[in-house]
Amino acid sequence: MVDPINGRFRVAGICDGLVCLADDLMSKALSYIIWNPSIRKAVTLPRPGFTFATHGSFEDSIGFGFDATTNDYKVVRLVTLEDLVDEDVENRTVAEVYSLATGSWRSLGSVGLPCQIFCIRPHAFFNGNIHWVVHAVASFYFILAFDLVSESFRKILIPIGTKLGFNSRVSVTGDGKYLALFTWYNDNHISYLDIWVMKEYCQQESWTKMITLAPQGPEGSVRPKPFCFRKSGEVFLELREPDFYCRYQTLVSLDPVSQQMNNVDILDCECYSLDSYEESLVLLDVENAVSC
């Protein structure tokens, strides 16, 4: 495995025992790895096609999932090209896909929908699609979905009237049956968290709110930051202290039904993502996988 330029890799996604690592925490190193920690093998991806040298300034984010029709694992990279003029907003965000089977990147061109990626965006792999919350125009957000089989994009509308903040993110319910949405927003300088579940895929009217969580702690000073669902149906949250310099945060497990929280751990570093992991033998027979 290559050494990260930024000092450490970020876990960008987990699928079937494979962990997708990205070296993008502070600067755009454009270094990605697919790693199976169970068998200690990894594949280092070649350099992608959209770079500063080829297209100028950009923001990007990646997603990771499995194409069941071709038995192939794919990394999808969204790239918003910042040097394009405002009139070309339709083509500002482009995409490219890496195939583990072929070992190469392939450009998909424009995503075909006017949207922008402002920074690293968490994604969710569900129903054969990779999902991101993206920004459109006039402070409007929607969910961008990429079908790994047809390699096409579609728009999924968020709940009507939803307040969607910059740190909102998609997820999947613990039983794997529904797409979920964590909307983290400020109202009168107070941080709230709404948890939504989409009962019928791609049907905006099927969004159902599970809970609205207000700030916690003394005088509501502790903000809840969502991570993901557990198989039990509970949700992992980080309770963030208002002090920017406080390095310790509390990891809790929230029951959305009873609204009860249980402390899980104390985090002494910045936690960017949290997800479940199951062991697998994927990469065992991949030719360009190296032991690590």
Side-chain angles (χ1 to χ4, degrees):
M1 292 172 61
V2 298
D3 293 328
I5 293 177
N6 288 289
R8 55 181 170 170
F9 284 101
R10 174 181 66 90
V11 175
I14 298 177
C15 183
D16 298 339
L18 294 183
V19 181
C20 182
L21 302 174
D23 186 7
D24 58 6
L25 286 175
M26 298 298 293
S27 63
K28 306 293 185 182
L30 302 181
S31 178
Y32 307 103
I33 292 173
I34 297 177
W35 173 46
N36 188 331
S38 300
I39 60 174
R40 300 184 64 84
K41 283 198 170 186
V43 172
T44 298
L45 277 58
R47 195 172 179 82
F50 294 102
T51 68
F52 180 81
T54 60
H55 293 80
S57 299
F58 64 85
E59 289 289 344
D60 67 342
S61 190
I62 66 171
F64 182 50
F66 179 64
D67 180 351
T69 62
T70 59
N71 198 35
D72 190 13
Y73 292 88
K74 297 179 178 179
V75 177
V76 181
R77 181 169 175 250
L78 298 180
V79 183
T80 293
L81 304 174
E82 297 183 327
D83 289 349
L84 292 183
V85 297
D86 292 341
E87 290 76 8
D88 202 17
V89 66
E90 185 77 25
N91 299 313
R92 177 172 290 175
T93 298
V94 295
E96 55 187 337
V97 59
Y98 170 84
S99 162
L100 183 61
T102 64
S104 61
W105 291 94
R106 179 165 46 85
S107 175
L108 301 174
S110 170
V111 302
L113 295 165
C115 62
Q116 297 180 12
I117 294 288
F118 284 127
C119 63
I120 297 169
R121 302 299 302 174
H123 72 277
F125 175 60
F126 172 74
N127 198 35
N129 287 250
I130 299 173
H131 305 78
W132 301 264
V133 174
V134 297
H135 181 260
V137 294
S139 300
F140 176 72
Y141 292 83
F142 65 88
I143 296 172
L144 182 67
F146 178 74
D147 189 317
L148 288 175
V149 175
S150 65
E151 294 193 345
S152 59
F153 289 92
R154 77 173 80 176
K155 178 193 294 187
I156 298 178
L157 297 178
I158 63 173
I160 297 174
T162 302
K163 295 180 179 179
L164 205 60
F166 180 74
N167 290 302
S168 298
R169 62 196 299 169
V170 280
S171 185
V172 180
T173 56
D175 56 13
K177 292 182 178 180
Y178 305 108
L179 185 68
L181 177 65
F182 299 132
T183 62
W184 197 29
Y185 60 94
N186 288 325
D187 191 359
N188 292 324
H189 306 290
I190 300 176
S191 295
Y192 292 91
L193 170 66
D194 290 346
I195 301 178
W196 297 81
V197 171
M198 180 174 261
K199 295 295 187 178
E200 295 183 38
Y201 187 59
C202 292
Q203 301 300 313
Q204 183 187 28
E205 63 275 10
S206 73
W207 282 112
T208 302
K209 186 189 290 187
M210 297 184 68
I211 186 176
T212 294
L213 192 64
Q216 308 295 301
E219 300 180 357
S221 61
V222 181
R223 298 178 299 156
K225 173 185 174 181
F227 284 124
C228 66
F229 279 86
R230 308 178 70 178
K231 288 187 175 181
S232 64
E234 295 188 354
V235 178
F236 275 129
L237 302 173
E238 178 188 80
L239 298 184
R240 302 177 63 86
E241 296 290 342
D243 183 358
F244 177 80
Y245 297 100
C246 179
R247 60 177 293 184
Y248 296 104
Q249 312 293 345
T250 304
L251 180 66
V252 302
S253 185
L254 166 71
D255 184 335
V257 178
S258 68
Q259 302 188 18
Q260 296 298 308
M261 292 185 188
N262 294 311
N263 288 353
V264 177
D265 203 351
I266 300 296
L267 305 175
D268 63 354
C269 62
E270 181 72 18
C271 185
Y272 293 93
S273 64
L274 192 66
D275 210 339
S276 60
Y277 177 81
E278 294 183 4
E279 295 182 345
S280 77
L281 297 178
V282 182
L283 291 189
L284 185 63
D285 300 321
V286 176
E287 291 184 2
N288 59 339
V290 298
S291 299
C292 57

